[in-house]
Amino acid sequence: MWRRIFISILTFVAGLYFFFEYVMPRESGLTDIMPEIGPRVIIIGVTAIFLGMINLTRMHLHKVVRRRPGWYNSLACIIAIYVMFLLTVLQYFFPKTAWVIHTYDTFFQYVRIPLDATIFSLLAYYIASAAYRAFRIKSVEATVMLAVALFVMLGQIPMGQAITRWLPETGYLSWFRLENIKLWIMDVPNSAATRGILFGGMIGTLAMSLRLWLSLERGSFFDAEV
Amino acid sequence: MADQVQPTADPPDARRARVRTAELAVTGVLAAFITIYIVVRIARADDTSQRMLMLQYGLAAVCTLAIFSFLYRENPIYRFFEHVLVGLATGYFVGIEVVNVIIPNWWNKMVGAKGAPAEWSWIIFPIIGLLWYFQLFRNPRWNWYSRIPIFFFMGYGASLAYKGFFNLMFGEKGQVMDTFRAVLPFTAVGAWDLINNLIYVAIALLVLSYFFFSFKHETNPLLRRSAASGRYLMMIAFGSIFGTTVMGRMSLLIDRLYFLYHTWLGLPG
Amino acid sequence: MAANFFEIMERLDRRWIYLTVFVALSIPFFIPIPLRIEVMPECKDLHERIEEIKQQNEKDPDNAKIVLISISWSANVQAECWPQHEAIAEHCLQIGVPFAAFSFISPEGPQFGEYVLDSIKRRWEGIKDEDFNSDDEELREKLAPLKRRYDRMGKNWREIQYGVEYVNWGYKYMDLAALMTMISDLYGIFPEDYKGAPLQDFPMMKQVKGFVDCALIVEITGSGTLLTWVMYVTPQSGSDLAFACTGVMAPEAYPYFKSKQIIGLLSGMDGAAQYEKLVGIKARGRKGMESQNLAHLWVILMVILGNLSFLYKRKKDRDDSKK
């Protein structure tokens, strides 16, 4: 029980500075001590950085030692972690040593970047497949969404814009050029609807923040006996 | 949907064996072709740095194609490279935090490197930070200590939300201010602008009414209608997001094709 | 006939769809498609703001401001953010507005900042000094924006002077407290640049105390970092903010563009291509737009086919149930 009280007090006290920094007048000097706080908070946060590495190593080492299916992949993962870690540190300390820079560059620019970029590029295939299989006019909502999406798609590619290029560039008729229709959709209805969603969401966030700050939040993580 | 239509039962053994052989054969031919191409490019390069570059391009191409192989189906080559990526990303992340944050922002300050006076009091911050590592203990008795930094960050993050909220909504250019400033006739430039502003405010309010849960939507006819129209209007936002998402996702693939065709295969760009 | 077609399409293995995507996007790499890019106001505003900063700096050189590029992108969104970054950096280099790059969310950011500059330098290597005064009017017109750099710097125009034109601050793990600290006190958080050299010693950093001295902050991102700036930094620092983001996030940024919380907006590859047009280059953005054309038309075709198939199936189900 005392632990929970301690945590509640800690959470509350941790938030006091920024709360008062905002509500108090500038003369209070609270804003001026910000440069003393920021650099120190960074250090507390960054200390946690090895946690992920340790956890990942522990998990994969377990697989390797127990010879679980796919253990060789886990071994590759562990080797990759430490090789890349070492290379990153070495390239900082030895920026003029050719082999360090070459090896670092090979692993970073020619292995890590292509792998990362390619994994995300798979999404292009999936969205194409989804366009065919999932984007269907099953209701009025879906139809509105589809119509807007089509205008936006046509308005943002040169071939789509070419359809209405015969319209004049200025004057009332120019409003009907596809790129201008797209701009209007984005600027007015989309922007207004997004703002409505934002208002709803931000009020929720504010309420949630208050609950967290005052330790009123409930749920498995917050209620767990400590 | 068609995935459900596809037969889920395994094909007969003989057919499966044939498919497997064909897959292995195609993989083998592709691998041989790629290897020969890389070797030829390296051999034809002018100097050592070019040869190194060709090797690096080859490596990048192999990585790209290995990930693309997932589109055919999940396979050991893909899984291997996926693990390598997780490893490299983690190693790089931790490495860069050490050299870009821990050394200049903590160590150098503490020991007074580069002529600055040493500030040994800085030793205290990583010690507080070490409490994070109690996460590694399963025993709640020890694990508990890791909650100290977690809730410290949660507390200050939560209180910061107020500052952010008021800046965002009610600041000089805040969202709320901007929404309602727009309906004042003298802020509009011409009739079209005024109409747009009115449409804007109406849509924003109708969408907001969808999130208004203080009254039951079913029993209040006004709220029911406005919430329903808010739902339709939100679809405009989602439709726009879909439209631009198509561009975003396709860009990701175009980037990889750009690498394969221009950089690796050397097509003129 | 139609019945057969839709039934086959419904049963079609999705891998065939993947293959057609691959083919459709590959065609423009073999057969280039001439394009006319329309520049939208969101993009023009950003371009004009950077030009304005140049004029202000010329008028008041003792109080020269910089442009800050926040690299919140990484390999996974490089397709969209790289060309945006390249176009904006090229613009600053062309007209001589000093700019800095840093990252508070993506550890790879500063490294990418360097790669982007390398790519600009590689492109410049293909341009000869004579080309600026060539007899070919078309070529001269194409190089007009870059000629401003050539006129200013002469023969050495290809060299990017580190510390004078551009500085890479590096990456820091950053929470909001640190980011807010940087509004007035940059060097408490970034004592060194990304290679470990003291940041304050660089000529272009002499007048820079923090975000307050950045006339414009350009957030290039694939993550939800916009609110961080709008909520915690720019109201206090008074800097203008521009947002260059992936296509997915662009619609969500329009309310801030309307309220002038952001003064410019580049949306994905399209935004990058527009900016490239303004600064007179044809790099990854404009080249990519050729494939985008076919990709979009192809997706639209898929949506139409999917819906026809859906309507056909619904009609068939209704007919069957009537029977």
Side-chain angles (χ1 to χ4, degrees):
Chain A
M1 191 61 202
W2 67 268
R3 286 173 175 166
R4 182 173 286 175
I5 295 168
F6 172 74
I7 287 286
S8 301
I9 294 171
L10 176 81
T11 315
F12 183 69
V13 172
L16 277 183
Y17 168 73
F18 287 103
F19 184 73
F20 282 119
E21 191 266 331
Y22 181 59
V23 296
M24 296 281 269
R26 177 111 203 159
E27 291 74 34
S28 65
L30 283 174
T31 309
D32 302 332
I33 58 167
M34 186 88 84
E36 300 300 318
I37 293 173
R40 288 168 172 82
V41 174
I42 283 190
I43 304 303
I44 300 178
V46 83
T47 318
I49 198 67
F50 297 99
L51 200 57
M53 192 155 110
I54 295 171
N55 248 333
L56 208 60
T57 311
R58 200 164 69 166
M59 196 178 89
H60 284 290
L61 207 58
H62 186 77
K63 276 192 187 168
V64 174
V65 173
R66 299 273 162 93
R67 288 282 192 280
R68 291 276 158 78
W71 62 271
Y72 39 86
N73 291 332
S74 296
L75 187 64
C77 182
I78 295 173
I79 293 171
I81 294 175
Y82 290 93
V83 167
M84 197 68 218
F85 173 71
L86 268 181
L87 284 171
T88 313
V89 174
L90 284 178
Q91 59 92 27
Y92 179 82
F93 286 108
F94 305 100
K96 293 203 171 79
T97 314
W99 73 266
V100 172
I101 299 300
H102 270 135
T103 326
Y104 163 77
D105 221 32
T106 307
F107 274 95
F108 183 74
Q109 201 178 354
Y110 298 103
V111 180
R112 188 217 184 289
I113 293 179
L115 285 177
D116 202 348
T118 316
I119 284 197
F120 276 82
S121 79
L122 297 182
L123 290 169
Y125 295 103
Y126 299 146
I127 202 160
S129 179
Y132 177 71
R133 301 202 192 285
F135 209 45
R136 297 188 167 178
I137 42 174
K138 288 182 180 164
S139 59
V140 185
E141 285 97 326
T143 315
V144 174
M145 191 173 152
L146 181 77
V148 172
L150 285 180
F151 273 113
V152 170
M153 278 194 273
L154 284 173
Q156 69 192 358
I157 50 163
M159 272 185 181
Q161 294 162 358
I163 301 172
T164 51
R165 204 159 275 157
W166 53 275
L167 287 168
E169 280 185 31
T170 48
Y172 292 119
L173 279 177
S174 71
W175 296 349
F176 297 99
R177 285 168 75 105
L178 267 169
E179 66 270 24
N180 290 341
I181 295 178
K182 183 220 159 185
L183 185 66
W184 183 81
I185 291 176
M186 286 290 188
D187 231 5
V188 181
N190 158 65
S191 169
T194 310
R195 205 174 265 185
I197 297 171
L198 177 86
F199 289 169
M202 283 313 288
I203 292 167
T205 311
L206 199 69
M208 183 72 189
S209 296
L210 188 68
R211 291 174 66 84
L212 280 175
W213 188 30
L214 303 179
S215 295
L216 299 170
E217 186 57 26
R218 291 282 164 264
S220 60
F221 183 69
F222 300 94
D223 279 341
E225 198 49 57
V226 286
Chain B
M1 226 162 150
D3 295 348
Q4 296 162 5
V5 182
Q6 281 174 18
T8 45
D10 283 338
D13 282 351
R15 203 184 140 214
R16 204 193 313 174
R18 270 209 308 281
V19 170
R20 193 150 180 77
T21 318
E23 284 171 0
L24 280 175
V26 172
T27 314
V29 170
L30 271 178
F33 176 76
I34 293 165
T35 316
I36 291 169
Y37 180 77
I38 294 172
V39 171
V40 168
R41 284 297 292 266
I42 294 172
R44 288 175 58 184
D46 300 332
D47 52 26
T48 320
S49 71
Q50 278 295 313
R51 270 194 281 280
M52 180 74 186
L53 195 63
M54 288 305 135
L55 180 70
Q56 288 170 329
Y57 284 166
L59 195 59
V62 169
C63 293
T64 306
L65 296 174
I67 300 294
F68 276 159
S69 74
F70 181 74
L71 291 167
Y72 180 70
R73 68 177 168 80
E74 162 101 48
N75 63 72
I77 300 173
Y78 167 79
R79 226 171 297 140
F80 173 79
F81 278 98
E82 190 193 24
H83 278 79
V84 170
L85 171 64
V86 171
L88 291 180
T90 313
Y92 182 79
F93 184 45
V94 179
I96 212 78
E97 295 284 358
V98 170
V99 297
N100 268 0
V101 187
I102 294 181
I103 291 175
N105 286 42
W106 173 66
W107 180 255
N108 285 356
K109 272 184 190 163
M110 189 177 70
V111 301
K114 302 189 178 170
E119 293 180 60
W120 290 102
S121 61
W122 278 68
I123 189 84
I124 189 101
F125 302 108
I127 291 177
I128 300 173
L130 282 176
L131 292 172
W132 289 107
Y133 290 84
F134 283 97
Q135 270 293 311
L136 295 170
F137 291 90
R138 294 241 170 79
N139 185 344
R141 199 183 146 82
W142 297 107
N143 191 291
W144 173 82
Y145 289 99
S146 70
R147 291 190 168 214
I148 294 174
I150 292 176
F151 278 84
F152 168 78
F153 277 95
M154 214 179 258
Y156 105 70
S159 80
L160 264 173
Y162 291 90
K163 181 177 185 163
F165 178 82
F166 288 103
N167 275 340
L168 178 72
M169 295 294 185
F170 302 103
E172 195 193 336
K173 302 172 188 167
Q175 294 285 302
V176 174
M177 311 311 255
D178 184 69
T179 309
F180 295 102
R181 194 185 294 135
V183 274
L184 299 176
F186 51 81
T187 59
V189 190
W192 176 237
D193 210 27
L194 183 67
I195 295 169
N196 267 343
N197 286 348
L198 291 172
I199 296 175
Y200 198 99
V201 176
I203 294 180
L205 290 177
L206 286 172
V207 171
L208 190 59
S209 76
Y210 180 78
F211 296 99
F212 195 59
F213 298 120
S214 298
F215 301 102
K216 270 192 176 167
H217 286 201
E218 298 83 36
T219 51
N220 189 325
L222 183 70
L223 194 58
R224 193 176 65 228
R225 286 199 190 114
S226 70
S229 49
R231 201 170 61 234
Y232 293 127
L233 291 164
M234 267 195 279
M235 290 301 142
I236 298 179
F238 298 147
S240 327
I241 292 177
F242 182 85
T244 52
T245 302
V246 168
M247 167 163 284
R249 299 294 185 245
M250 290 299 169
S251 309
L252 303 177
L253 180 56
I254 292 168
D255 177 71
R256 293 331 291 156
L257 295 181
Y258 186 87
F259 166 75
L260 286 178
Y261 289 132
H262 284 313
T263 316
W264 187 47
L265 295 177
L267 285 183
Chain C
M1 174 65 194
N4 277 340
F5 175 73
F6 288 129
E7 272 159 24
I8 291 169
M9 283 296 283
E10 278 294 297
R11 277 201 306 272
L12 192 70
D13 192 312
R14 63 177 183 278
R15 284 175 283 204
W16 290 110
I17 299 185
Y18 297 162
L19 187 67
T20 55
V21 176
F22 188 85
V23 174
L25 266 69
S26 298
I27 293 170
F29 287 93
F30 298 94
I31 312 163
I33 305 165
L35 294 179
R36 198 173 108 187
I37 307 275
E38 301 286 345
V39 182
M40 303 313 274
E42 309 92 290
C43 178
K44 235 180 263 170
D45 288 359
L46 173 57
H47 185 266
E48 276 165 18
R49 181 70 188 107
I50 296 182
E51 295 279 334
E52 246 173 58
I53 295 169
K54 168 70 182 164
Q55 286 163 9
Q56 281 166 358
N57 283 356
E58 272 171 1
K59 266 188 218 150
D60 187 8
D62 295 334
N63 198 18
K65 304 272 184 196
I66 64 166
V67 170
L68 175 64
I69 297 182
S70 161
I71 317 175
S72 304
W73 56 277
S74 171
N76 49 17
V77 289
Q78 66 171 4
E80 293 171 275
C81 295
W82 180 309
Q84 291 169 342
H85 190 147
E86 189 169 332
I88 295 168
E90 166 103 17
H91 187 204
C92 292
L93 291 169
Q94 279 177 358
I95 62 173
V97 169
F99 72 103
F102 92 113
S103 167
F104 69 99
I105 187 165
S106 155
E108 299 91 344
Q111 185 69 69
F112 273 107
E114 294 303 299
Y115 290 155
V116 167
L117 284 201
D118 289 344
S119 139
I120 293 178
K121 280 188 218 157
R122 268 201 303 277
R123 190 150 35 72
W124 285 355
E125 275 162 20
I127 301 169
K128 294 190 211 84
D129 287 6
E130 308 83 88
D131 292 352
F132 290 112
N133 299 311
S134 145
D135 297 334
D136 182 354
E137 198 177 330
E138 202 179 321
L139 183 66
R140 267 208 326 271
E141 204 173 304
K142 205 182 118 195
L143 291 177
L146 191 56
K147 190 164 184 289
R148 298 203 274 177
R149 183 178 173 84
Y150 176 72
D151 291 344
R152 205 176 61 250
M153 303 186 68
K155 293 269 174 224
N156 296 331
W157 70 275
R158 279 190 203 85
E159 281 166 35
I160 297 173
Q161 295 163 304
Y162 187 78
V164 180
E165 293 184 86
Y166 156 75
V167 163
N168 193 336
W169 294 355
Y171 160 79
K172 297 284 174 231
Y173 153 80
M174 193 81 76
D175 47 39
L176 293 170
L179 206 61
M180 285 181 342
T181 303
M182 284 171 67
I183 294 172
S184 56
D185 179 30
L186 165 67
Y187 304 101
I189 307 292
F190 280 95
E192 302 174 350
D193 78 341
Y194 86 115
K195 279 181 185 158
L199 191 58
Q200 216 161 357
D201 295 353
F202 291 113
M204 66 170 265
M205 297 303 293
K206 291 264 190 274
Q207 297 156 354
V208 179
K209 290 186 293 294
F211 291 143
V212 282
D213 295 304
C214 302
L216 172 69
I217 298 170
V218 185
E219 170 70 10
I220 305 181
T221 186
S223 335
T225 44
L226 174 62
L227 283 183
T228 311
W229 291 101
V230 175
M231 288 164 89
Y232 299 104
V233 180
T234 48
Q236 229 168 312
S237 74
S239 324
D240 282 334
L241 179 69
F243 192 51
C245 61
T246 52
V248 187
M249 296 163 57
E252 288 171 39
Y254 272 86
Y256 308 100
F257 181 64
K258 190 173 169 62
S259 64
K260 300 277 177 286
Q261 280 164 314
I262 53 178
I263 56 102
L265 174 62
L266 299 191
S267 151
M269 197 175 253
D270 184 26
Q274 292 172 27
Y275 211 92
E276 282 180 10
K277 189 181 177 188
L278 287 176
V279 296
I281 57 172
K282 190 176 178 191
R284 291 160 81 147
R286 272 163 94 179
K287 282 179 196 158
M289 283 309 283
E290 295 178 6
S291 296
Q292 286 288 4
N293 266 319
L294 287 190
H296 275 65
L297 295 183
W298 194 90
V299 168
I300 291 171
L301 180 74
M302 281 293 116
V303 170
I304 293 171
L305 275 181
N307 278 295
L308 286 179
S309 157
F310 166 72
L311 292 175
Y312 166 79
K313 193 161 171 271
R314 193 166 67 176
K315 187 170 173 290
K316 198 172 156 235
D317 288 349
R318 274 187 196 154
D319 291 349
D320 288 351
S321 61
K322 269 182 203 160
K323 279 174 201 168

